[in-house]
Amino acid sequence: DIQMTQSPSTLSASGQDRVTITCRASQSISSWLAWYQQKPGKAPKLLISKASSLEIGVPSRFSGSGSGTEFTLTISSLQPEDFATYYCQQYNSYPWTFGQGTKVEIK
Amino acid sequence: QITLKESGPTLVKPKQALALTCTFSGFSLSTSGVGVVWIRQPPGKALEWLASIHWNDDNHYSPSLKSRIAITKDTSENQVVLTLTNMAPVDTATYYCAHRIVGYGMAVWGQGTTVTVSS
Protein backbone atom coordinates (compact mmCIF):
# COMPACT_ATOMS: atom_id res chain seq x y z
CA ASP A 1 0.00 0.00 0.00
CA ILE A 2 1.11 3.57 -0.62
CA GLN A 3 1.38 5.49 2.64
CA MET A 4 0.40 9.16 2.63
CA THR A 5 1.94 11.32 5.34
CA GLN A 6 0.72 14.84 5.97
CA SER A 7 2.49 17.53 7.94
CA PRO A 8 1.82 19.21 10.16
CA SER A 9 -1.00 17.34 11.92
CA THR A 10 -2.24 20.61 13.40
CA LEU A 11 -1.61 24.13 12.24
CA SER A 12 -2.50 27.26 14.19
CA ALA A 13 -2.94 30.32 12.03
CA SER A 14 -4.61 33.69 11.91
CA GLY A 15 -6.87 35.21 9.31
CA GLN A 16 -5.08 36.27 6.09
CA ASP A 17 -2.06 34.10 6.90
CA ARG A 18 -0.47 32.09 4.11
CA VAL A 19 -0.76 28.42 4.98
CA THR A 20 1.04 25.43 3.47
CA ILE A 21 0.27 21.76 4.09
CA THR A 22 2.60 19.04 2.87
CA CYS A 23 1.69 15.53 1.77
CA ARG A 24 4.32 12.89 1.09
CA ALA A 25 3.72 9.57 -0.65
CA SER A 26 5.77 6.48 0.17
CA GLN A 27 6.31 5.91 -3.55
CA SER A 28 5.69 7.87 -6.70
CA ILE A 29 2.06 8.60 -7.51
CA SER A 30 2.77 10.85 -10.50
CA SER A 31 0.15 13.61 -10.15
CA TRP A 32 -2.73 11.40 -9.05
CA LEU A 33 -3.42 13.30 -5.87
CA ALA A 34 -6.54 14.98 -4.53
CA TRP A 35 -7.05 17.42 -1.66
CA TYR A 36 -10.23 17.60 0.44
CA GLN A 37 -11.54 19.99 3.05
CA GLN A 38 -13.75 18.67 5.83
CA LYS A 39 -15.67 20.65 8.43
CA PRO A 40 -17.06 19.04 11.60
CA GLY A 41 -20.11 16.89 10.97
CA LYS A 42 -19.91 17.39 7.21
CA ALA A 43 -18.82 15.30 4.25
CA PRO A 44 -15.44 16.13 2.72
CA LYS A 45 -15.32 18.60 -0.14
CA LEU A 46 -13.02 18.07 -3.10
CA LEU A 47 -10.72 21.06 -3.61
CA ILE A 48 -8.07 19.86 -6.03
CA SER A 49 -7.55 16.89 -8.38
CA LYS A 50 -4.46 15.84 -10.30
CA ALA A 51 -2.29 17.61 -7.74
CA SER A 52 -2.97 21.11 -9.03
CA SER A 53 -6.31 21.21 -10.85
CA LEU A 54 -8.71 23.38 -8.88
CA GLU A 55 -12.31 22.21 -8.78
CA ILE A 56 -14.91 24.56 -10.23
CA GLY A 57 -16.20 26.89 -7.55
CA VAL A 58 -13.21 26.54 -5.23
CA PRO A 59 -11.71 29.94 -4.39
CA SER A 60 -8.47 30.80 -6.14
CA ARG A 61 -6.70 31.32 -2.81
CA PHE A 62 -6.38 27.52 -2.77
CA SER A 63 -3.62 26.01 -4.89
CA GLY A 64 -1.87 22.67 -5.16
CA SER A 65 1.51 21.69 -6.47
CA GLY A 66 3.89 18.76 -6.67
CA SER A 67 4.38 15.47 -8.40
CA GLY A 68 5.99 12.15 -7.68
CA THR A 69 6.15 11.87 -3.90
CA GLU A 70 5.88 15.41 -2.53
CA PHE A 71 2.85 17.66 -2.72
CA THR A 72 1.65 20.87 -1.14
CA LEU A 73 -1.68 22.57 -0.58
CA THR A 74 -1.41 26.32 -0.12
CA ILE A 75 -4.03 28.76 1.08
CA SER A 76 -2.73 32.18 0.10
CA SER A 77 -4.81 34.24 2.53
CA LEU A 78 -6.68 32.29 5.19
CA GLN A 79 -10.34 33.17 5.52
CA PRO A 80 -12.64 32.38 8.48
CA GLU A 81 -14.41 29.65 6.49
CA ASP A 82 -11.09 27.88 5.82
CA PHE A 83 -10.66 26.64 9.38
CA ALA A 84 -11.18 22.93 8.84
CA THR A 85 -9.35 19.63 8.43
CA TYR A 86 -7.61 18.92 5.15
CA TYR A 87 -6.85 15.49 3.69
CA CYS A 88 -4.73 14.39 0.78
CA GLN A 89 -5.60 11.20 -1.11
CA GLN A 90 -3.72 9.22 -3.74
CA TYR A 91 -5.57 7.50 -6.54
CA ASN A 92 -2.56 6.34 -8.52
CA SER A 93 -3.06 2.75 -7.50
CA TYR A 94 -5.33 0.61 -5.37
CA PRO A 95 -5.82 0.57 -2.48
CA TRP A 96 -6.47 4.30 -2.52
CA THR A 97 -5.13 5.90 0.63
CA PHE A 98 -5.63 9.12 2.56
CA GLY A 99 -3.29 11.13 4.69
CA GLN A 100 -4.07 11.36 8.39
CA GLY A 101 -5.36 14.90 8.05
CA THR A 102 -4.19 18.41 8.94
CA LYS A 103 -6.37 20.47 11.22
CA VAL A 104 -6.15 24.20 10.57
CA GLU A 105 -7.22 25.98 13.71
CA ILE A 106 -7.51 29.54 14.87
CA LYS A 107 -4.39 30.90 16.53
CA GLN B 1 -27.17 18.17 -10.46
CA ILE B 2 -25.51 15.10 -8.98
CA THR B 3 -26.71 13.89 -5.58
CA LEU B 4 -26.04 10.75 -3.55
CA LYS B 5 -27.63 9.50 -0.37
CA GLU B 6 -26.63 6.63 1.88
CA SER B 7 -29.21 4.50 3.68
CA GLY B 8 -29.16 1.50 5.93
CA PRO B 9 -29.20 0.45 9.57
CA THR B 10 -27.72 2.75 12.17
CA LEU B 11 -27.08 -0.01 14.69
CA VAL B 12 -25.80 -3.53 14.03
CA LYS B 13 -24.74 -6.25 16.42
CA PRO B 14 -21.26 -7.77 16.37
CA LYS B 15 -20.89 -10.56 13.81
CA GLN B 16 -23.92 -9.37 11.85
CA ALA B 17 -23.68 -8.21 8.25
CA LEU B 18 -24.20 -4.62 7.16
CA ALA B 19 -25.81 -3.61 3.88
CA LEU B 20 -25.70 0.06 2.91
CA THR B 21 -27.38 1.48 -0.16
CA CYS B 22 -26.18 4.52 -2.07
CA THR B 23 -29.03 5.97 -4.11
CA PHE B 24 -27.93 8.55 -6.62
CA SER B 25 -29.29 10.88 -9.27
CA GLY B 26 -27.87 13.16 -11.93
CA PHE B 27 -25.61 10.55 -13.51
CA SER B 28 -25.63 7.00 -14.82
CA LEU B 29 -23.27 4.24 -13.78
CA SER B 30 -23.38 2.99 -17.34
CA THR B 31 -21.63 6.14 -18.60
CA SER B 32 -17.98 5.67 -19.50
CA GLY B 33 -15.60 6.97 -16.87
CA VAL B 34 -18.07 7.12 -14.02
CA GLY B 35 -17.58 5.45 -10.66
CA VAL B 36 -19.07 5.28 -7.16
CA VAL B 37 -16.80 4.98 -4.16
CA TRP B 38 -17.42 4.04 -0.53
CA ILE B 39 -15.37 5.70 2.20
CA ARG B 40 -15.73 5.55 5.97
CA GLN B 41 -14.56 7.63 8.90
CA PRO B 42 -14.46 6.31 12.46
CA PRO B 43 -15.26 8.91 15.10
CA GLY B 44 -12.43 11.42 15.38
CA LYS B 45 -10.29 9.59 12.85
CA ALA B 46 -9.16 9.91 9.25
CA LEU B 47 -10.96 8.92 6.08
CA GLU B 48 -10.58 5.33 4.87
CA TRP B 49 -11.28 4.14 1.33
CA LEU B 50 -13.34 0.93 1.26
CA ALA B 51 -14.36 0.05 -2.29
CA SER B 52 -14.96 1.40 -5.78
CA ILE B 53 -17.21 0.31 -8.62
CA HIS B 54 -17.10 1.68 -12.14
CA TRP B 55 -19.21 1.80 -15.26
CA ASN B 56 -17.30 -1.15 -16.74
CA ASP B 57 -17.76 -3.39 -13.67
CA ASP B 58 -14.18 -2.74 -12.62
CA ASN B 59 -14.43 -3.22 -8.84
CA HIS B 60 -11.76 -2.78 -6.21
CA TYR B 61 -11.73 -3.45 -2.49
CA SER B 62 -9.63 -2.49 0.50
CA PRO B 63 -7.26 -5.41 1.15
CA SER B 64 -7.86 -5.11 4.88
CA LEU B 65 -11.55 -5.86 4.29
CA LYS B 66 -11.34 -8.00 1.18
CA SER B 67 -12.72 -11.17 2.73
CA ARG B 68 -15.70 -9.29 4.22
CA ILE B 69 -16.71 -6.73 1.64
CA ALA B 70 -18.69 -6.66 -1.58
CA ILE B 71 -19.97 -3.90 -3.82
CA THR B 72 -22.70 -4.23 -6.42
CA LYS B 73 -24.59 -1.87 -8.69
CA ASP B 74 -28.10 -1.70 -10.03
CA THR B 75 -27.84 0.61 -12.99
CA SER B 76 -31.57 0.67 -13.66
CA GLU B 77 -32.34 1.69 -10.06
CA ASN B 78 -29.37 4.07 -9.76
CA GLN B 79 -28.12 2.32 -6.67
CA VAL B 80 -24.89 0.88 -5.35
CA VAL B 81 -24.92 -1.52 -2.42
CA LEU B 82 -22.02 -2.07 -0.04
CA THR B 83 -22.08 -5.23 2.05
CA LEU B 84 -19.75 -5.79 4.97
CA THR B 85 -19.96 -9.09 6.84
CA ASN B 86 -18.91 -10.06 10.35
CA MET B 87 -19.16 -6.55 11.73
CA ALA B 88 -17.13 -5.59 14.79
CA PRO B 89 -17.03 -2.52 17.06
CA VAL B 90 -14.00 -1.22 15.09
CA ASP B 91 -16.33 -0.89 12.08
CA THR B 92 -18.27 1.84 13.88
CA ALA B 93 -18.00 4.84 11.58
CA THR B 94 -19.74 7.29 9.31
CA TYR B 95 -20.02 5.68 5.88
CA TYR B 96 -20.03 7.86 2.77
CA CYS B 97 -20.60 7.14 -0.88
CA ALA B 98 -19.21 9.49 -3.50
CA HIS B 99 -19.21 10.05 -7.26
CA ARG B 100 -16.06 10.25 -9.26
CA ILE B 101 -14.88 10.53 -12.84
CA VAL B 102 -11.80 8.53 -13.79
CA GLY B 103 -8.74 10.71 -13.41
CA TYR B 104 -10.25 12.92 -10.75
CA GLY B 105 -10.95 12.81 -7.05
CA MET B 106 -14.33 12.22 -5.47
CA ALA B 107 -16.23 15.34 -6.41
CA VAL B 108 -19.69 14.77 -4.99
CA TRP B 109 -20.36 13.07 -1.66
CA GLY B 110 -23.44 11.88 0.12
CA GLN B 111 -24.25 13.27 3.54
CA GLY B 112 -22.99 10.10 5.19
CA THR B 113 -24.69 7.59 7.45
CA THR B 114 -23.47 6.69 10.91
CA VAL B 115 -23.27 3.01 11.77
CA THR B 116 -22.66 1.81 15.31
CA VAL B 117 -21.64 -1.76 16.03
CA SER B 118 -22.70 -2.75 19.51
CA SER B 119 -24.50 -5.55 21.28
Side-chain angles (χ1 to χ4, degrees):
Chain A
D1 300 6
I2 298 174
Q3 307 302 315
M4 305 300 292
T5 303
Q6 288 181 234
S7 59
S9 295
T10 306
L11 190 160
S12 297
S14 303
Q16 300 187 331
D17 280 356
R18 181 181 180 88
V19 164
T20 299
I21 299 168
T22 298
C23 179
R24 289 188 173 87
S26 60
Q27 63 191 74
S28 178
I29 59 169
S30 185
S31 295
W32 302 117
L33 183 98
W35 287 99
Y36 300 87
Q37 176 194 67
Q38 188 179 32
K39 296 182 179 178
K42 300 293 186 183
K45 174 186 176 182
L46 178 65
L47 300 175
I48 288 169
S49 292
K50 291 192 281 189
S52 61
S53 179
L54 202 65
E55 285 293 298
I56 294 171
V58 175
S60 59
R61 62 181 180 272
F62 290 92
S63 63
S65 64
S67 66
T69 62
E70 188 148 340
F71 303 85
T72 58
L73 172 71
T74 298
I75 309 172
S76 60
S77 177
L78 201 63
Q79 299 301 303
E81 60 268 30
D82 300 336
F83 291 97
T85 299
Y86 294 83
Y87 293 95
C88 61
Q89 178 238 335
Q90 69 82 16
Y91 53 101
N92 175 76
S93 61
Y94 289 101
W96 293 348
T97 44
F98 289 88
Q100 81 278 17
T102 295
K103 184 177 181 180
V104 177
E105 60 180 27
I106 300 171
K107 191 171 186 179
Chain B
Q1 180 192 6
I2 292 174
T3 65
L4 304 98
K5 187 172 184 179
E6 307 86 353
S7 60
T10 57
L11 178 66
V12 297
K13 290 181 167 41
K15 299 187 181 180
Q16 284 187 339
L18 171 71
L20 293 176
T21 301
C22 177
T23 303
F24 57 84
S25 64
F27 68 95
S28 171
L29 247 183
S30 59
T31 300
S32 179
V34 172
V36 170
V37 185
W38 283 96
I39 308 99
R40 71 180 178 183
Q41 185 171 37
K45 295 190 176 181
L47 300 164
E48 178 188 9
W49 171 79
L50 301 179
S52 299
I53 188 165
H54 290 89
W55 85 101
N56 56 357
D57 293 321
D58 180 33
N59 302 346
H60 295 271
Y61 299 107
S62 169
S64 64
L65 300 171
K66 198 158 189 178
S67 61
R68 303 170 49 211
I69 196 170
I71 191 170
T72 58
K73 63 181 170 80
D74 186 332
T75 304
S76 62
E77 294 291 326
N78 283 349
Q79 291 183 330
V80 170
V81 176
L82 178 78
T83 303
L84 199 54
T85 60
N86 195 23
M87 293 287 283
V90 295
D91 296 313
T92 293
T94 297
Y95 287 74
Y96 297 99
C97 61
H99 167 274
R100 59 110 39 166
I101 300 293
V102 170
Y104 295 86
M106 292 164 278
V108 185
W109 294 59
Q111 63 189 25
T113 186
T114 299
V115 178
T116 301
V117 183
S118 174
S119 55

